[in-house]
């Protein structure tokens, strides 16, 4: 009798980050390891005959206890009904309830690329735990400050945090001032005015054009301004905030005296700062993997550039990666899909009987494109299609929930819809 062929050990994949890029990488890889088409691909995947299925173990680590729809923040912090929808605990996401997917609620502290180990600090126990892996994916994104995104790490605390903010802005007797005319500020001001039309909302921006830090056309920037004013938001251009001081009131209401560098003064009950610079969370990576802004240096196939041990087994996708274009959830999900494809190709290269010539998916340079929700309408701009706007653009890009359902369905978080590949 011939001796039994030893069963190869499962391939261990560790993913730092459970948002758009991380979930995309995990679920597309799960599809590939099951011998089916990756859920985000419109083309048949060339599975290797007799090696269609493979044993993978995926660990996802995230500081939050659930998936938070980041681009829905402007609505989540304005509408209490939507607040509940925007954060779904990992344990309540059907597609993650698989025996070979484990979720760690905690932060990644260090990655040893040479030893292929990662250390996490679990949220509840605060105990450091070391995990061995075969592939590592940095998908933890950027750290953004309040009130751009909630700072809570649990859904329970997030609901409290959001409720307090919504109560404050919806009862803003002296109005609300949003400082910063980037995408976040525009959407926050517009959503607040849409949900609470009786509140006086003013957006102030230090430059003479909105979206001034983005390489977008003047037509796009001017259209955003037109839609913002059309939605009922007061807009003050070329107003740089100088100071904001809380003052006493006879009725006990919250009030700030605001002064700008041009001498203009006004009052508001709430001042929302939407001008902060997000910071990379990938400081757990070795210095050789990071640039001066702590973004992960990647090749077009999303592996680390040479100079870090085992670079070809380490990937980065999403906002933490150094790549061209405006940071967007669509780009993050796209990158996660490519990471899954390329990990699978590397596994085939290393393990398939008879060898396999890996064919990697590679990112191209991302142009400056944007989709921006402004009240009941949206504006979208790209080099190919130019600038378009209207209620139809809102439906196409965001529907009525700032894109939550679009992302949920695209990643098939509610359940898998496998496309079986014929042998």
């Amino acid at each position: 009798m011939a001796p039994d062929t030893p069963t190869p050990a499962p391939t261990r994949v560790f993913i730092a980050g459970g948002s758009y890029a991380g979930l995309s990488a995990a679920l597309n890889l799960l599809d590939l390891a099951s011998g089916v088409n990756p859920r985000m691909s419109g083309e048949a995947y060339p599975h290797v005959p007799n090696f269609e299925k493979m044993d993978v173990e995926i660990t996802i680590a995230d500081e939050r206890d659930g998936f938070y729809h980041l681009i829905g923040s402007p609505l989540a912090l304005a509408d209490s009904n939507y607040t509940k929808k925007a954060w779904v605990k990992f344990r309540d996401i059907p597609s993650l309830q698989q025996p070979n997917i484990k979720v760690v609620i905690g932060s990644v502290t260090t990655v040893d690329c040479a030893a292929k180990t990662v250390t996490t600090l679990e949220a509840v126990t605060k105990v450091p735990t070391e995990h061995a892996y075969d592939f590592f994916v940095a998908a933890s994104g950027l750290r953004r400050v309040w009130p751009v995104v909630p700072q809570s790490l649990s859904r329970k605390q997030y609901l409290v945090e959001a409720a307090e903010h919504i109560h404050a802005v919806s009862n803003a007797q002296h109005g609300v001032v949003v400082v910063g005319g980037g995408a976040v500020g525009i959407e926050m001001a517009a959503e607040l005015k849409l949900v609470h039309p009786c509140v006086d909302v003013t957006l102030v921006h230090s430059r003479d054009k909105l979206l001034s830090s983005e390489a977008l056309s003047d037509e796009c920037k001017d259209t955003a301004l037109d839609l913002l004013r059309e939605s009922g938001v007061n807009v003050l251009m070329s107003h740089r905030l100088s100071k904001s001081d809380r003052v006493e009131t006879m009725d006990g209401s919250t009030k700030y005296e605001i002064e700008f560098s041009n001498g203009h003064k006004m009052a508001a009950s709430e001042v929302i700062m939407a001008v902060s610079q997000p910071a990379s969370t990938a400081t757990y990576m070795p210095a050789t993997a990071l640039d001066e802004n702590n973004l992960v240096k990647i090749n077009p196939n999303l592996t680390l550039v040479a100079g870090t041990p085992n670079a070809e087994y380490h990937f980065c996708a999403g906002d933490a990666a150094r790549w061209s274009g405006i940071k967007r959830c669509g780009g993050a999900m796209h990158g996660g899909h490519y990471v899954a494809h390329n990990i699978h190709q590397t596994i085939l290269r290393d393990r398939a009987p008879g060898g396999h010539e890996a064919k990697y998916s590679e990112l191209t340079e991302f142009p400056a494109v944007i989709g921006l929700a402004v009240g009941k309408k949206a504006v979208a701009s790209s080099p190919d299609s130019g600038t378009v706007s209207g209620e139809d653009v809102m439906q196409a890009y965001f529907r009525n929930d700032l894109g939550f359902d679009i992302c949920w369905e695209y990643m098939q978080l509610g359940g898998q819809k496998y496309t079986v590949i014929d042998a």
Side-chain angles (χ1 to χ4, degrees), residues 71-100:
I71 66 171
S73 283
L75 186 55
L77 296 174
D79 185 340
S80 57
N81 290 323
Y82 182 78
T83 304
K84 301 170 186 176
K85 179 176 183 175
W87 186 307
V88 184
K89 284 191 172 185
F90 291 122
R91 71 184 187 192
D92 296 327
I93 299 176
S95 278
L96 296 183
Q97 311 316 306
Q98 308 292 333
N100 53 346

Side-chain angles (χ1 to χ4, degrees), residues 184-255:
V184 172
I186 293 169
E187 290 191 334
M188 290 188 78
E191 292 299 327
L192 179 58
K193 188 64 180 180
L194 180 65
V195 178
H196 305 286
C198 293
V199 175
D200 184 31
V201 181
T202 301
L203 181 137
V204 298
H205 188 53
S206 61
R207 306 296 182 86
D208 60 356
K209 294 279 187 184
L210 297 178
L211 302 166
S212 52
S213 64
E214 307 294 356
L216 297 164
S217 68
D218 284 347
E219 181 186 8
C220 175
K221 297 175 181 181
D222 292 343
T223 301
L225 176 59
D226 291 342
L227 293 183
L228 195 56
R229 285 175 168 157
E230 183 182 319
S231 71
V233 174
N234 305 312
V235 184
L236 298 177
M237 305 299 295
S238 301
H239 276 62
R240 183 178 296 277
L241 181 66
S242 178
K243 63 179 180 177
S244 174
D245 298 321
R246 185 164 181 169
V247 296
E248 296 283 341
T249 57
M250 294 294 293
D251 59 4
S253 61
T254 302
K255 185 178 181 180

Side-chain angles (χ1 to χ4, degrees), residues 165-177 192 196 198-201 253-254 267-271:
H165 177 78
I166 292 170
H167 180 267
V169 295
S170 62
N171 292 280
Q173 178 180 332
H174 308 287
V176 176
V177 168
L192 179 58
H196 305 286
C198 293
V199 175
D200 184 31
V201 181
S253 61
T254 302
S269 293
E270 296 292 327
V271 179

Side-chain angles (χ1 to χ4, degrees), residues 69-379:
H69 183 52
L70 180 65
I71 66 171
S73 283
L75 186 55
L77 296 174
D79 185 340
S80 57
N81 290 323
Y82 182 78
T83 304
K84 301 170 186 176
K85 179 176 183 175
W87 186 307
V88 184
K89 284 191 172 185
F90 291 122
R91 71 184 187 192
D92 296 327
I93 299 176
S95 278
L96 296 183
Q97 311 316 306
Q98 308 292 333
N100 53 346
I101 293 184
K102 176 186 178 182
V103 177
V104 174
I105 307 302
S107 56
V108 174
T109 56
T110 56
V111 178
D112 186 333
C113 297
K116 288 190 175 179
T117 59
V118 54
T119 302
T120 60
L121 189 67
E122 298 199 20
V124 175
T125 65
K126 302 301 181 184
V127 173
T129 304
E130 187 175 273
H131 311 259
Y133 61 83
D134 298 299
F135 292 89
F136 180 85
V137 183
S140 51
L142 303 177
R143 193 173 303 284
R144 297 170 171 88
V145 300
W146 174 262
V148 175
V149 296
Q151 300 301 291
S152 301
L153 300 180
S154 71
R155 185 176 188 273
K156 181 179 181 180
Q157 187 58 41
Y158 148 76
L159 292 175
V160 174
E161 181 183 21
E164 291 175 348
H165 177 78
I166 292 170
H167 180 267
V169 295
S170 62
N171 292 280
Q173 178 180 332
H174 308 287
V176 176
V177 168
V178 178
V179 181
V184 172
I186 293 169
E187 290 191 334
M188 290 188 78
E191 292 299 327
L192 179 58
K193 188 64 180 180
L194 180 65
V195 178
H196 305 286
C198 293
V199 175
D200 184 31
V201 181
T202 301
L203 181 137
V204 298
H205 188 53
S206 61
R207 306 296 182 86
D208 60 356
K209 294 279 187 184
L210 297 178
L211 302 166
S212 52
S213 64
E214 307 294 356
L216 297 164
S217 68
D218 284 347
E219 181 186 8
C220 175
K221 297 175 181 181
D222 292 343
T223 301
L225 176 59
D226 291 342
L227 293 183
L228 195 56
R229 285 175 168 157
E230 183 182 319
S231 71
V233 174
N234 305 312
V235 184
L236 298 177
M237 305 299 295
S238 301
H239 276 62
R240 183 178 296 277
L241 181 66
S242 178
K243 63 179 180 177
S244 174
D245 298 321
R246 185 164 181 169
V247 296
E248 296 283 341
T249 57
M250 294 294 293
D251 59 4
S253 61
T254 302
K255 185 178 181 180
Y256 292 88
E257 290 290 352
I258 304 166
E259 185 172 342
F260 301 94
S261 57
N262 61 7
H264 181 230
K265 297 179 180 180
M266 63 183 298
S269 293
E270 296 292 327
V271 179
I272 298 175
M273 301 300 296
V275 294
S276 64
Q277 183 68 31
S280 172
T281 60
T283 50
Y284 48 75
M285 295 296 286
T288 53
L290 303 173
D291 71 2
E292 64 278 7
N293 296 313
N294 291 323
L295 295 176
V296 180
K297 298 179 290 186
I298 61 170
N299 298 306
N301 68 358
L302 295 105
T303 57
L304 302 190
V305 299
T308 297
N310 294 310
E312 63 181 328
Y313 296 97
H314 293 79
F315 294 78
C316 181
D319 289 0
R322 185 179 70 179
W323 202 254
S324 59
I326 297 172
K327 304 292 188 182
R328 300 178 303 116
C329 71
M333 291 186 288
H334 177 66
H337 168 210
Y338 275 17
V339 164
H341 175 105
N342 295 341
I343 287 177
H344 193 257
Q345 283 291 305
T346 302
I347 297 172
L348 290 173
R349 183 199 69 187
D350 292 350
R351 293 195 175 190
H356 173 77
E357 183 181 350
K359 296 181 180 178
Y360 295 116
S361 294
E362 295 190 345
L363 295 177
T364 57
E365 292 297 313
F366 288 169
V369 299
I370 197 170
L372 193 65
V374 191
K376 295 182 179 180
K377 297 180 180 180
V379 56

Side-chain angles (χ1 to χ4, degrees), residues 1-9 50-51 351-353:
M1 179 181 294
D4 291 337
T5 303
T7 302
N50 302 317
F51 205 74
R351 293 195 175 190

